């Protein structure tokens, strides 16, 4: 379909997958990602294979999509970019704002000197994937240059003169025949629950544990960097919660947490793992065997803790009701992992206003003409922006959206393999 252009909003696994599907058909894709890096949440997930046996967590699929998208000649990628407005007169015309690009991708060699010399922790951030180039980005919220111009050591140290902290944001227009919104989700913020997240160092989210496993391969206590003797997972944090009016199940958290729990037992067998849950949601046809094996290593407690207190030595006292006996119990853990749920993305309001899309009863995006084979207005949605879904489901949803876009643009005879 030479000559056709599609704008994709969001460079997570859904946006990347749709971009590849369309670009393989000679369609020009403009992929706009608002953060500094491509890959969305799932690029930070660790492979959870045990003894080199795949447990189908999906993490490797994201890396593969990212690698293909960044090298595809028909995909033009803009990170740090967000659509501000859109008009339609036959084709779409989108106005896009791109934040200042402080590191020039053409010059940067990913040597890491900027990051090594930076005096402020977190002012230069690293991607989770070497397929993101540059691998580094300036965090404007923490960089001293953006605060009071007192430091520009990264510019002085860069041997390629790739860093320009005075670079300004830019605005430009994209013309497109169709638009795909793949802006993903927002993990539930557990500060709204009585588990001490943000106050107790050793209470982390499942996403933070994923990132720790991906970067270091081990699980350590943030308070002292030592291995924990015992870890508790608490499921359904922000999902299936009537008090929050979050009645939906996030679907992926049980599988993800159980796989991480097994990985911990495999790599750190001395660490005890306890799993607090309401009921375990199944995932995939191999689930029964996986769950049976998991229960041999992991202590399963069917209860959701009420609250957590910190002890003097930074351990965590977890209170819960032991159901068969209806007794309140307290147990001490070194590390607590909160399985935070999937909630509608923070830009949903803006996206729904700009692209004239409705939200469903929970606040996720609906496609216009969702049930029809061809959307009537040329704006489509894919991935977790539509509701909780796994990596594999996000890829499938992206494939389906790409097919609908091709139909909409007139390529009715095309078939996907
Ligand atoms: C705790 C937890 C554990 C999980 N574990 C697993 C697992 O083990 N296996 C599995 O299959 N799935 C897992 N998932 C689900 C998985 O994260 C999702 O399926 C996947 O991330 C969805 O991809 P996506 O591209 O739709 O969204 P995202 O990953 O959220 O990516 C969306 C992208 O869009 C960008 N964006 C947002 N707004 C805009 C905008 N306005 N303009 C431009 N760009 C924008 C974002 O910056 C982001 O890069 C887990 C989820 C959670 C919460």
């Amino acid at each position: 379909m030479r000559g056709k252009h599609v704008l994709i909003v969001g460079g997570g696994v859904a946006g990347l997958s749709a971009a590849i599907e369309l670009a393989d058909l000679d369609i020009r894709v403009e992929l706009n990602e608002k953060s500094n890096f491509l890959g969305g949440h799932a690029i930070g997930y660790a492979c959870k294979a045990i003894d080199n046996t795949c447990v189908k967590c999906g993490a490797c699929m994201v890396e593969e999509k990212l690698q293909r998208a960044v090298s595809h000649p028909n995909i033009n990628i803009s990170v740090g970019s967000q659509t501000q407005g859109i008009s339609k007169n036959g084709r779409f015309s989108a106005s896009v704002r791109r934040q200042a690009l402080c590191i020039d991708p053409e010059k940067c060699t990913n040597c890491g000197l900027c990051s090594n010399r930076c005096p402020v922790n977190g002012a230069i951030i690293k991607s989770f994937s070497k397929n993101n180039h540059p691998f580094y980005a300036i965090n404007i919220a923490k960089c001293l240059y953006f605060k009071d111009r007192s430091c520009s050591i990264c510019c002085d140290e860069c041997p390629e003169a790739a860093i320009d902290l005075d670079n300004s944001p830019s605005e430009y227009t994209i013309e497109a025949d169709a638009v795909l919104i793949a802006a993903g989700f927002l993990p539930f913020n557990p500060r709204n629950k009585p588990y001490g997240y943000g106050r107790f160092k050793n209470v982390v989210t499942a996403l933070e544990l994923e990132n720790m496993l991906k970067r270091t391969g081990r699980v350590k206590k943030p308070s002292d960097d030592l291995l924990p003797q015992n870890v508790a997972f608490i499921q359904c944090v922000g999902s299936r919660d009537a008090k929050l009016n979050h009645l939906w199940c996030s679907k992926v958290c049980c599988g993800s947490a159980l796989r991480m729990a097994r990985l911990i037992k495999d790599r750190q067998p001395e660490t005890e793992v306890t799993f607090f849950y309401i009921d375990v949601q199944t995932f995939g046809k191999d689930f029964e065997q996986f769950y049976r094996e998991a229960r041999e290593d992991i202590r399963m407690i069917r209860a959701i803790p009420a609250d957590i207190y910190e002890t003097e030595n930074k351990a965590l006292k977890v209170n819960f009701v032991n159901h068969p006996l209806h007794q309140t119990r307290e147990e001490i853990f070194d590390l607590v992992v909160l399985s935070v749920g999937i909630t509608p993305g923070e830009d949903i309001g803006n996206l729904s206003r700009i692209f004239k899309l409705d939200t469903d009863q929970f606040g996720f995006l609906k496609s216009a003409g969702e049930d029809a084979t061809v959307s009537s207005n040329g704006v489509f949605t894919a991935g977790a922006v539509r509701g909780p879904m796994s990596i594999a489901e996000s890829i499938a949803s992206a494939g389906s959206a790409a097919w609908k876009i091709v139909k909409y643009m007139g390529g009715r005879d095309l078939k996907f393999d």
Side-chain angles (χ1 to χ4, degrees):
M1 292 194 81
R2 194 157 290 177
K4 295 289 183 190
H5 288 70
V6 175
L7 166 64
I8 298 186
V9 175
V13 67
L16 292 169
S17 306
I20 295 163
E21 296 272 12
L22 294 166
D24 280 348
L25 296 169
D26 252 351
I27 294 164
R28 285 289 302 171
V29 176
E30 292 288 338
L31 181 57
N32 281 5
E33 164 57 47
K34 80 168 178 179
S35 76
N36 291 300
F37 304 117
L38 294 171
H41 290 96
I43 197 67
Y45 300 170
C47 165
K48 302 178 195 71
I50 292 183
D51 291 336
N52 285 329
T53 305
C54 175
V55 294
K56 300 189 177 79
C57 72
C60 57
M61 294 197 278
V62 191
E63 196 69 68
E64 190 243 79
K65 298 288 178 198
L66 176 55
Q67 193 175 16
R68 282 194 62 200
V70 294
S71 56
H72 204 299
N74 289 335
I75 302 176
N76 186 39
I77 292 164
S78 300
V79 292
S81 295
Q82 265 181 281
T83 304
Q84 305 294 305
I86 195 152
S87 59
K88 190 178 181 198
N89 187 3
R91 298 182 88 201
F92 290 98
S93 180
S95 56
V96 178
R97 184 178 165 84
R98 186 171 195 180
Q99 72 188 37
L101 253 196
C102 297
I103 304 182
D104 184 341
E106 301 295 323
K107 293 183 182 168
C108 176
T109 59
N110 289 340
C111 70
L113 267 178
C114 54
S115 168
N116 295 344
R117 301 286 158 82
C118 176
V120 180
N121 196 12
I124 295 192
I125 45 177
K126 290 182 198 170
S127 165
F128 283 99
S129 167
K130 289 279 181 196
N131 285 311
N132 266 310
H133 180 79
F135 182 67
Y136 300 92
I138 309 285
N139 180 357
I140 288 169
K142 290 207 169 166
C143 172
L144 293 178
Y145 189 81
F146 288 88
K147 194 174 162 209
D148 54 15
R149 315 236 146 188
S150 60
C151 173
S152 56
I153 199 164
C154 53
C155 303
D156 306 336
E157 292 290 330
C158 177
E160 308 298 329
I163 304 181
D164 176 4
L165 298 173
D166 289 320
N167 220 331
S168 329
S170 53
E171 287 186 14
Y172 59 98
T173 304
I174 290 176
E175 302 286 326
D177 299 285
V179 178
L180 176 69
I181 312 295
F185 68 95
L186 184 68
F188 174 73
N189 182 351
R191 283 172 213 266
N192 300 328
K193 297 285 287 183
Y195 293 147
Y197 179 78
R199 284 185 295 129
F200 307 153
K201 279 192 167 174
N202 294 331
V203 177
V204 299
T205 67
L207 291 177
E208 288 164 343
L209 184 68
E210 284 274 12
N211 297 170
M212 197 191 296
L213 282 166
K214 173 121 184 186
R215 290 228 197 263
T216 68
R218 307 286 272 176
V219 174
K220 292 189 175 167
K221 288 183 283 169
S223 64
D224 54 14
D225 229 21
L226 296 175
L227 298 184
Q229 283 180 2
N230 53 12
V231 177
F233 283 82
I234 301 180
Q235 295 306 108
C236 298
V237 178
S239 310
R240 306 172 75 191
D241 188 329
K243 276 195 199 146
L244 297 167
N245 201 23
H246 289 186
L247 298 176
W248 62 91
C249 166
S250 291
K251 287 191 351 190
V252 293
C253 322
C254 287
S256 155
L258 279 172
R259 290 188 201 103
M260 283 196 281
R262 285 203 67 200
L263 193 66
I264 295 172
K265 285 302 294 177
D266 182 62
R267 297 210 177 141
Q268 302 168 210
E270 65 285 3
T271 302
E272 294 296 325
V273 180
T274 301
F275 202 82
F276 291 100
Y277 69 107
I278 299 175
D279 51 31
V280 171
Q281 296 299 308
T282 60
F283 53 94
K285 60 185 167 54
D286 303 329
F287 170 76
E288 273 311 319
Q289 191 190 339
F290 178 87
Y291 189 38
R292 205 172 332 112
E293 287 166 8
R295 277 180 301 183
E296 288 170 14
D297 296 333
I298 300 163
R299 189 167 65 123
M300 307 291 293
I301 297 183
R302 194 165 193 173
I304 291 297
D307 45 26
I308 298 177
Y309 298 92
E310 197 179 46
T311 67
E312 272 177 14
N313 59 356
K314 306 280 178 218
L316 301 158
K317 201 186 281 178
V318 175
N319 287 313
F320 61 97
V321 175
N322 194 352
H323 273 297
L325 304 171
H326 291 287
Q327 286 167 340
T328 304
R329 289 192 51 186
E330 260 180 19
E331 283 197 28
I332 305 279
F333 295 93
D334 286 339
L335 184 74
V336 171
V337 182
L338 306 178
S339 276
V340 289
I342 288 179
T343 69
E346 60 191 350
D347 290 351
I348 286 282
N350 261 344
L351 292 169
S352 111
R353 182 181 49 77
I354 293 173
F355 294 99
K356 299 188 174 53
L357 293 172
D358 289 334
T359 50
D360 67 17
Q361 56 173 323
F362 301 127
F364 294 98
L365 275 192
K366 286 203 268 190
S367 263
E370 183 165 25
D371 299 327
T373 314
V374 177
S375 164
S376 51
N377 71 354
V379 182
F380 299 80
T381 58
V385 78
R386 302 174 63 128
M389 56 178 93
S390 68
I391 293 167
E393 287 169 325
S394 301
I395 293 172
S397 142
S400 155
W403 179 80
K404 287 179 188 169
I405 289 171
V406 170
K407 283 256 187 190
Y408 169 79
M409 294 193 307
R412 285 162 203 280
D413 297 332
L414 285 169
K415 281 188 193 145
F416 285 97
D417 293 332

